[in-house]
């Protein structure tokens, strides 16, 4: 009826034919209905939550007709015992069982009736009789009581004994007990002695040793230990794992290594200067236990000799002596900075001076001149002793001088670096480089990184110089690669920059020579060794690398643009071919320059008559003066030849070599070519065009190479290479068009597309519609249930709050009443007090 409680649900548009529900809503009415319903249901449950006014019969099997009454009683008795056992009778011991300890009942032990035996009357602390305790601690009343035995309890009471009789009876009883104890002890001693005698007689029989033959039989009879027992024993004796020390960082290890090298260098310098540290160490003088240290003297004595001049105390001499002493000390300090040996000699002089001054103080009769003379004599003696020591230490000095220093600074220029390694053996050079790296580790100082990066460049330049020599030191270069690798691992960017700079210069020089002359020659040994070092320092299997890729390109240019005019060029070319195989061993990248060069090497080993019917690629020419460069016509040289490795250092020695050696080198180059062909065949066998790539080489080997003229070993190399080429099976995959889905023919039926309207439920199958309706209904019910639960919680919270408010108001009311009654009492008491005062 209230128009303010009516809510009208208006619609934006009126649609004809649509039946609308809930046009008008009554929120107040619906809220009152919900509150009334909750008061009837939820509020009742809340108020009766702790009340139990319903009786339930929980007797076991009361309404079960299948169980007999006897079974019900037995089952109920068992359940009752179970409940009582768990709660009440946890600590209740069973009375029927008697607990014992070592065969004696615990009930008897708890009575504490044990008699403590004692050896004498003075030790009878725990064996006092009842009469004695009553006499001494009972106030004397116990002495007047009579002792009633169990037999005389029923008889008439006798007169009480006197105090004297009681004491006599007590003394007699104690003596009797003492005598009994003595007899028991004596009997026990006799029995033990007898037992000892019997045991000694039996022991002789037991200790009789069995003969060795019987022992061996017994040992054989013993069963062998099981494998499990042996493993268990081994585990028992196995060392337990101990916690290891913390792994040190790279900086800590570098600091320790630097400290160790510095200490060794200091020891070497001492030995070189003839300083014996052990002799200079002060040995502690022997002191007895009764020594009172009466002869203790300070290192510096402040006492001065008393002297007079013209009737006054002489102070000037003392000041001069002090100044001289200070000057000596300053000189000694300066010498200490330069040399340690001079410091020790000066300290010895000071000790002698101190001893002289003390002797002057002790002797009053000697004059100053005699003291000065004694000082000079002692100094002279010490100098002689020092000269003798130096003579003894001369061999040690020489040995120390010949030793390498343990600490090195990084050289600032290449000249200093070269002078540091000049005249040293390869082992010493390696030690010097190792110590330079350890003493100047990047973690020890700020500028060490830049210094060591320079050291990498110096080492590269030094290796290049060793390769350019008339007799190249290839072994030294091989050893120096290790420190070069270590530096490259520490500073990869600086190392790559240094090697890229060398490769850039080499490629630029090659281009310049080709532009000027039109042709170029192979580079020197230093560049070839740099190319070899690249493969050792950097990964060669990468698709693209900032160092390896330029080196790869440079080597391919060398094989295609450098003319082959001498045997040295052939050796250098074959060396580059070996490098190519090393570079490509993992990536298996195809290098056409490699195959072409090997084909050209076979071409220059043929006679001119047979060098026809095939094509060769630049830098080789089908006709020319360098055609028969590897051809050997001397039959004796062919017979004497033996397979040998072709060292790179032979390039510098070929000019001085004899004709036989040159022919043997040619045959070795040809054998190396066969070996490289074999390796190429194994490397590129997986390529689809393998047979087409190797076809020119196969034609040359089968049709043109004069195999019969070669030595037997060279023929073996030839046949193995040819076999490797011919054994590869051709595996071609035929070209097939890709399988595609066939394109259907065009149909002219119209394509119907549903127009989706937003906000409307799209039509579908019946199951789909039912499923969607069910989902929507579930969603609606879930929302309604959540809403109702939320309202129930709010209702209960309001009820709890109203209860709390009622309790608080009642408490406030009672407190108010109490305070009012107390106020009235106080007023009445004060009124009575005033009346008394007024009266």
């Amino acid at each position: 009826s209230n128009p303010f409680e009516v809510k009208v649900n208006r619609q934006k548009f009126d649609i004809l034919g649509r039946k609308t529900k809930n046009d008008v809503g009554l929120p107040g009415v619906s809220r009152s209905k919900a509150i009334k319903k909750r008061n009837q249901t939820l509020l009742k449950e809340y108020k009766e939550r702790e009340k139990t006014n319903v009786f339930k019969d929980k007797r076991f099997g009361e309404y079960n007709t299948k169980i007999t009454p006897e079974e019900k009683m037995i089952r109920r008795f068992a359940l009752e015992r179970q409940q009582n056992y768990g709660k009440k009778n946890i600590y209740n011991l069973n009375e029927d069982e008697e607990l014992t300890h070592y065969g004696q009942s615990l009930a008897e032990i708890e009575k504490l009736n044990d008699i403590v035996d004692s050896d004498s009357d003075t030790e009878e602390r725990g064996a006092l009789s009842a009469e004695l305790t009553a006499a001494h601690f009972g106030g004397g009343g116990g002495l007047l009581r009579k002792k009633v035995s169990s037999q005389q309890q029923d008889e008439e009471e006798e007169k009480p004994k006197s105090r004297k009789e009681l004491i006599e009876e007590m003394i007699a009883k104690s003596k009797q007990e003492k005598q009994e104890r003595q007899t028991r002890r004596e009997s026990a001693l006799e029995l033990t002695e007898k037992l000892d005698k019997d045991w000694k007689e039996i022991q002789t029989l037991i200790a009789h040793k069995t003969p060795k033959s019987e022992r061996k039989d017994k040992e054989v009879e013993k069963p062998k230990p099981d494998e499990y027992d042996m493993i268990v024993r081994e585990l028992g004796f196995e060392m337990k794992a101990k916690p290891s020390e913390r792994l040190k960082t790279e900086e800590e290890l570098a600091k320790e290594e630097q400290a160790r090298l510095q200490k060794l260098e200091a020891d070497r310098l001492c030995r070189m200067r003839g300083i014996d540290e052990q002799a200079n160490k002060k040995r502690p003088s022997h002191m007895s236990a009764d020594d009172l240290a009466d002869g203790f003297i300070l290192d510096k004595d402040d006492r001065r000799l008393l002297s007079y001049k013209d009737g006054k105390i002489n102070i000037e001499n003392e000041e001069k002596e002090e100044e001289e002493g200070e000057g000596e000390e300053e000189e000694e300090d300066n010498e200490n900075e330069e040399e340690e040996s001079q410091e020790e000699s000066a300290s010895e002089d000071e000790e002698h001076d101190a001893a002289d001054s003390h002797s002057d103080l002790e002797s009053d009769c000697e004059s100053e001149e005699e003291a000065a003379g004694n000082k000079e004599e002692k100094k002279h003696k010490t100098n002689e002793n020092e000269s003798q020591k130096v003579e003894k230490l001369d061999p040690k000095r020489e040995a120390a001088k010949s030793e390498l220093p343990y600490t090195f600074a990084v050289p600032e220029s290449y000249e200093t670096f070269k002078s540091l390694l000049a005249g040293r053996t390869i082992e010493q050079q390696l030690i010097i480089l190792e110590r330079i790296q350890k003493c100047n580790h990047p973690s020890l100082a700020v500028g060490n990184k830049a210094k060591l990066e320079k050291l990498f460049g110096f080492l590269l330049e030094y290796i290049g110089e060793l390769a350019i020599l008339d007799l190249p030191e290839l072994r030294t270069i091989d050893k120096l690669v290790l420190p070069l690798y270590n530096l490259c691992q520490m500073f990869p960017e600086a190392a790559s920059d240094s090697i890229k700079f060398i490769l850039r210069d080499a490629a630029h020089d090659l281009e310049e020579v080709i532009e000027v002359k039109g042709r170029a020659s192979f580079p020197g040994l230093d560049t070839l060794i740099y190319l070899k070092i690249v493969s050792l320092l950097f990964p060669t299997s990468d698709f693209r690398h900032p160092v390896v890729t330029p080196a790869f390109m440079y080597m391919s240019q060398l094989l295609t643009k450098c003319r082959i005019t001498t045997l040295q060029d052939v050796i250098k070319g074959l060396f580059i071919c070996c490098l190519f195989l090393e570079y490509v061993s993992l990536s298996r990248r195809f290098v056409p320059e490699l195959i072409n060069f090997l084909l050209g090497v076979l071409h220059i080993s043929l006679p001119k008559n047979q060098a026809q019917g095939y094509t060769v690629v630049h830098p080789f020419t089908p006709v020319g003066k360098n055609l028969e460069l590897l051809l050997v016509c001397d039959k004796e040289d062919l017979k004497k030849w033996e397979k040998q490795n072709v060292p790179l250092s032979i390039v510098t020695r070929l000019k001085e070599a004899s004709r036989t050696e040159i022919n043997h080198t040619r045959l070795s180059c040809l054998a190396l070519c066969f070996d490289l062909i074999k390796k190429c065949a194994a490397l590129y066998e997986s390529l689809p065009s393998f047979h087409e790539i190797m076809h020119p080489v196969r034609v040359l080997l089968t049709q043109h190479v004069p195999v019969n003229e070669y030595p037997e070993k060279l023929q073996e190399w030839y046949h193995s290479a040819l076999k490797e080429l011919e054994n590869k099976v051709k595996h071609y995959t035929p070209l097939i068009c890709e399988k595609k889905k066939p394109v259907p023919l065009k149909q002219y039926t119209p394509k119907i597309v549903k127009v989706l309207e937003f906000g409307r439920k799209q039509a579908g199958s019946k199951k789909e519609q039912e499923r969607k309706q069910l989902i929507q209904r579930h969603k609606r019910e879930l929302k309604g249930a959540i809403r109702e639960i939320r309202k129930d919680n709010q209702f209960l919270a309001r009820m709890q709050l109203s209860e709390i408010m009622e309790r608080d108001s009642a408490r406030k009311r009672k407190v108010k009443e109490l305070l009012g009654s107390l106020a009235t009492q106080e007023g009445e008491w004060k009124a009575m007090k005033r009346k008394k005062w007024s009266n």
Side-chain angles (χ1 to χ4, degrees):
S1 61
N2 189 356
F4 295 103
E5 289 186 355
V6 177
K7 186 184 177 186
V8 179
N9 297 322
R10 289 183 181 179
Q11 293 183 351
K12 289 184 179 181
F13 307 104
D14 294 331
I15 299 166
L16 295 172
R18 179 183 286 181
K19 293 179 181 180
T20 56
K21 296 179 182 179
N22 303 321
D23 290 338
V24 179
L26 301 170
V29 176
S30 61
R31 192 183 298 114
S32 64
K33 282 182 182 178
I35 290 168
K36 190 177 179 181
K37 189 178 180 182
R38 285 190 179 88
N39 283 330
Q40 290 173 359
T41 56
L42 191 63
L43 189 62
K44 275 186 178 181
E45 288 179 9
Y46 178 70
K47 286 180 178 178
E48 294 175 0
R49 65 189 182 279
E50 293 176 355
K51 293 180 181 179
T52 54
N53 49 8
V54 179
F55 295 99
K56 291 182 181 177
D57 192 358
K58 294 183 179 179
R59 289 178 294 176
F60 177 79
E62 182 62 26
Y63 301 104
N64 194 353
T65 55
K66 295 179 182 179
I67 303 172
T68 60
E70 289 81 9
E71 289 178 357
K72 287 180 186 177
M73 296 300 293
I74 292 164
R75 182 62 179 158
R76 286 175 186 175
F77 179 72
L79 288 169
E80 188 180 356
R81 290 294 298 270
Q82 283 178 5
Q83 290 173 357
N84 292 335
Y85 178 78
K87 295 178 181 177
K88 297 176 183 177
N89 298 332
I90 295 172
Y91 304 106
N92 188 16
L93 298 173
N94 196 355
E95 294 177 358
D96 299 337
E97 295 177 359
E98 186 178 1
L99 299 175
T100 59
H101 180 68
Y102 285 107
Q104 296 180 355
S105 176
L106 287 175
E108 292 179 1
I109 291 169
E110 285 176 356
K111 291 177 183 177
L112 304 171
N113 289 332
D114 297 338
I115 297 168
V116 181
D117 296 333
S118 59
D119 295 338
S120 62
D121 294 335
T122 57
E123 294 178 359
E124 292 180 358
R125 293 170 185 169
L128 296 175
S129 61
E131 291 84 359
L132 187 63
T133 53
H136 287 279
F137 305 107
L143 296 171
L144 302 174
R145 295 173 194 162
K146 64 175 183 177
K147 287 196 72 181
V148 182
S149 63
S150 60
Q151 296 175 359
Q152 297 173 353
Q153 282 178 0
D154 299 333
E155 295 179 0
E156 295 178 358
E157 293 182 357
E158 296 179 359
K159 293 180 180 180
K161 293 181 181 179
S162 63
R163 182 184 177 85
K164 189 177 180 181
E165 288 173 353
L166 287 170
I167 290 168
E168 286 176 357
E169 190 178 347
M170 183 179 63
I171 291 165
K173 202 179 273 188
S174 65
K175 284 183 178 179
Q176 188 180 356
E177 287 176 358
K178 187 178 178 182
Q179 192 174 2
E180 286 175 359
R181 284 199 301 273
Q182 190 72 20
T183 52
R184 281 201 298 272
R185 195 180 295 110
E186 288 175 358
S187 62
L189 285 169
E190 287 176 1
L191 286 169
T192 50
E193 287 175 0
K194 187 180 178 183
L195 189 64
D196 289 340
K197 287 178 183 178
D198 295 342
W199 169 248
K200 284 178 182 177
E201 291 175 1
I202 296 164
Q203 195 176 13
T204 55
L205 298 171
I206 292 168
H208 179 64
K209 292 183 179 179
T210 55
K212 289 184 179 179
S213 60
E214 292 179 8
R215 280 188 204 168
K216 287 179 181 177
D217 296 338
K218 286 180 181 179
E219 287 174 1
V220 171
E221 288 173 3
K222 283 183 181 179
K224 291 183 179 180
D226 193 10
E227 289 183 3
Y228 176 76
D229 296 335
M230 292 171 71
I231 292 166
V232 169
R233 287 175 187 171
E234 287 176 4
L235 288 172
F237 290 108
E238 206 171 41
M239 287 286 288
K240 291 182 179 178
K242 294 181 180 179
S244 59
E245 294 182 357
R246 178 180 67 84
L247 289 174
K248 295 179 179 178
T249 60
E250 191 177 350
E251 294 180 2
E252 291 173 350
L253 291 170
K255 285 179 182 176
E256 285 183 4
E257 189 65 23
Q258 186 191 32
R260 185 182 72 83
L261 292 173
Q262 285 176 353
K263 187 183 176 186
L264 291 170
E265 177 64 11
D267 295 343
R268 189 188 70 82
L269 290 171
C270 289
R271 280 184 270 113
M272 189 176 73
R273 292 166 185 166
I275 301 166
D276 192 2
E277 290 184 354
Q278 293 180 356
N280 292 329
K281 285 180 182 176
K282 292 181 180 179
R283 294 179 181 176
S285 59
H286 174 70
M287 292 179 70
S288 67
D290 300 328
D291 192 3
L292 299 174
D294 294 333
F296 175 73
I297 298 166
L298 291 167
D299 292 338
K300 290 185 178 180
D301 193 6
D302 297 334
R303 294 180 293 178
R304 297 167 182 167
L305 187 65
L306 186 64
S307 61
Y308 292 90
K309 188 176 182 181
D310 299 333
K312 294 180 181 180
I313 298 172
N314 194 0
I315 300 169
E316 294 177 358
N317 294 334
E318 294 173 1
E319 290 176 354
K320 287 179 182 178
E321 288 175 2
E322 287 177 0
E323 289 174 0
E324 287 174 1
E326 289 173 359
E328 287 175 2
E329 287 175 0
E330 289 175 0
E331 288 174 2
E332 286 167 8
D333 292 337
N334 295 329
E335 289 170 0
N336 185 18
E337 292 175 359
E338 295 173 1
E339 294 181 359
E340 295 175 359
S341 60
Q342 292 180 6
E343 181 190 16
E344 292 182 1
S345 62
S347 63
E348 288 175 4
D349 295 341
E350 282 182 1
E351 288 175 5
H352 288 294
D353 294 342
D356 294 336
S357 63
H358 296 313
S359 65
D360 291 338
L361 288 168
E362 289 169 2
S363 62
D364 296 328
C365 300
E366 289 179 359
S367 63
E368 293 178 3
E369 294 176 358
E370 290 176 356
N374 291 331
K375 285 181 184 178
E376 289 176 359
E377 288 175 3
K378 287 178 181 178
K379 283 181 180 178
H380 186 64
K381 288 178 182 177
T382 53
N383 291 330
E384 288 178 356
N385 292 331
E386 284 176 4
S387 63
Q388 289 176 1
K389 287 179 184 176
V390 167
E391 288 175 0
K392 291 178 183 177
L393 293 170
D394 273 339
K396 290 184 178 179
R397 280 188 182 184
E398 290 175 2
K401 282 180 182 178
S402 62
E403 282 184 22
L404 281 174
Y406 289 92
T407 56
F408 290 93
V410 182
E412 294 293 332
S413 62
Y414 177 68
E415 286 73 20
T416 54
F417 175 76
K418 192 176 177 182
S419 63
L420 193 64
L421 299 182
R424 308 278 188 185
T425 61
I426 180 58
E427 289 79 11
Q428 289 178 340
Q429 290 180 13
L430 291 173
I431 291 167
I432 288 167
L433 292 169
E434 184 184 358
R435 287 176 183 174
I436 288 172
Q437 290 180 40
K438 288 180 178 176
C439 294
N440 301 278
H441 197 269
S443 62
L444 298 175
V446 178
N448 285 352
K449 184 181 177 182
K451 292 178 181 177
L452 289 176
E453 286 175 355
K454 283 184 181 179
L455 183 68
F456 183 86
F458 297 157
L459 195 55
L460 267 181
E461 195 173 347
Y462 182 68
I463 287 170
E465 281 197 8
L466 291 177
I468 294 169
L469 296 174
D470 295 334
L471 294 172
E473 299 180 8
L474 296 180
R475 290 184 180 178
T476 308
I477 292 169
D478 187 28
K479 299 282 185 182
L480 290 175
V481 170
L482 182 60
L484 201 68
Y485 178 79
N486 293 332
L487 288 169
C488 181
Q489 293 298 312
M490 290 171 73
F491 316 108
E493 291 182 2
S496 62
D497 290 340
S498 301
I499 291 178
K500 277 195 288 186
F501 181 75
I502 292 169
L503 292 173
R504 196 183 301 117
D505 283 355
H508 185 66
D509 294 342
L510 183 69
E511 289 174 0
E512 280 186 353
V513 171
I514 291 170
E515 285 179 3
V516 174
K517 296 182 180 180
R519 56 188 175 81
S521 59
F522 279 92
L525 286 182
D526 54 345
T527 309
L528 298 179
I529 285 167
Y530 287 145
L531 293 171
K532 173 67 177 175
I533 288 171
V534 168
S535 66
L536 298 174
L537 299 185
F538 300 101
T540 56
S541 60
D542 294 357
F543 183 74
R544 187 179 289 106
H545 193 273
V547 180
V548 177
T549 305
F552 209 93
M553 298 297 294
Y554 179 65
M555 287 194 296
S556 62
Q557 285 182 355
L558 290 178
L559 290 184
T560 52
K561 294 182 179 179
C562 295
R563 295 285 297 275
I564 307 296
T565 56
T566 58
L567 187 57
Q568 287 92 328
D569 294 339
V570 176
I571 293 168
K572 288 178 182 179
L574 288 172
F575 178 75
I576 293 169
C577 291
C578 294
L579 284 180
F580 260 127
L581 283 175
E582 190 177 342
Y583 275 53
V584 190
S585 59
L586 293 173
S587 62
R588 294 177 177 270
R589 188 179 299 173
F590 176 60
V591 185
E593 293 86 0
L594 173 63
I595 306 297
N596 291 333
F597 191 85
L598 294 176
L599 184 68
V601 170
L602 291 175
H603 167 66
I604 60 175
S605 66
L606 301 176
K608 291 181 181 179
N609 301 330
Q610 298 179 5
Q612 293 174 359
Y614 57 88
T615 56
V616 289
V617 186
H618 189 79
F620 299 96
T621 55
V623 180
K625 60 179 180 179
N626 300 322
L627 186 61
E628 298 177 348
L629 199 59
L630 293 182
L631 183 64
V632 179
C633 299
D634 195 347
K635 293 183 179 180
E636 291 182 1
D637 293 343
L638 289 169
K639 289 178 182 178
K640 292 178 183 178
W641 177 79
E642 291 181 358
K643 175 67 177 74
Q644 292 178 351
N645 293 327
V646 183
L648 198 59
S649 59
I650 202 171
V651 174
T652 57
R653 289 181 281 139
L654 277 176
K655 293 178 181 178
E656 301 173 359
S658 61
R659 186 173 181 77
T660 306
E661 289 178 357
I662 291 171
N663 286 336
H664 287 175
T665 306
R666 286 171 178 167
L667 292 172
S668 298
C669 290
L670 197 57
L672 180 60
C673 180
F674 291 146
D675 187 30
L676 290 173
I677 290 169
K678 182 180 176 182
K679 287 179 180 178
C680 288
L683 190 67
Y684 297 133
E685 64 179 342
S686 59
L687 292 175
S689 57
F690 170 74
H691 291 280
E692 284 71 22
I693 291 167
M694 304 302 288
H695 177 69
V697 178
R698 193 187 304 109
V699 168
L700 208 63
L701 289 174
T702 52
Q703 298 177 9
H704 300 278
V705 173
V707 191
N708 300 325
E709 296 177 4
Y710 293 154
E712 292 181 2
K713 290 183 179 179
L714 192 59
Q715 288 181 17
E716 290 176 5
W717 286 90
Y718 166 82
H719 289 301
S720 65
L722 191 62
K723 188 178 179 183
E724 192 74 23
L725 289 174
E726 290 176 349
N727 285 344
K728 306 302 177 188
V729 182
K730 291 184 179 182
H731 50 277
Y732 296 122
T733 54
L735 295 173
I736 302 170
C737 294
E738 289 184 11
K739 290 182 179 180
K740 291 183 180 179
K741 198 173 182 181
V743 181
L745 295 171
K746 287 185 178 181
Q747 295 178 352
Y748 295 100
T749 55
K751 186 177 181 182
I752 299 165
V753 181
K754 286 184 179 181
V755 179
L756 300 176
E757 294 182 12
F758 180 73
R760 291 192 65 181
K761 294 169 189 173
Q762 304 300 323
S765 63
K766 194 174 182 181
K767 284 186 178 181
E768 190 72 21
Q769 287 177 356
E770 286 177 359
R771 183 174 167 277
K772 284 181 180 178
Q773 286 175 3
L774 193 64
I775 289 168
Q776 194 173 4
R777 203 179 302 149
H778 170 263
K779 197 183 289 183
R780 193 187 304 121
E781 292 295 328
L782 182 66
K783 283 182 180 179
I786 291 167
R787 194 188 309 114
E788 290 298 318
I789 289 166
R790 195 181 291 119
K791 287 179 180 178
D792 289 348
N793 288 334
Q794 290 172 358
F795 177 77
L796 287 174
R798 283 198 300 273
M799 292 297 108
Q800 288 171 0
L801 184 64
S802 64
E803 285 180 2
I804 292 165
M805 295 291 284
E806 284 176 6
R807 284 201 301 269
D808 289 350
S809 62
R811 184 175 55 80
K812 284 178 183 178
R813 182 173 49 76
K814 287 178 183 178
V815 169
K816 209 170 186 181
E817 288 175 0
L818 286 170
L819 289 172
S821 65
L822 286 171
T824 54
Q825 286 179 11
E826 186 74 16
E828 288 173 1
W829 180 71
K830 284 182 179 179
M832 286 174 66
K833 207 170 183 183
R834 280 196 298 271
K835 282 181 183 180
K836 282 182 182 181
W837 281 107
S838 63
N839 293 332

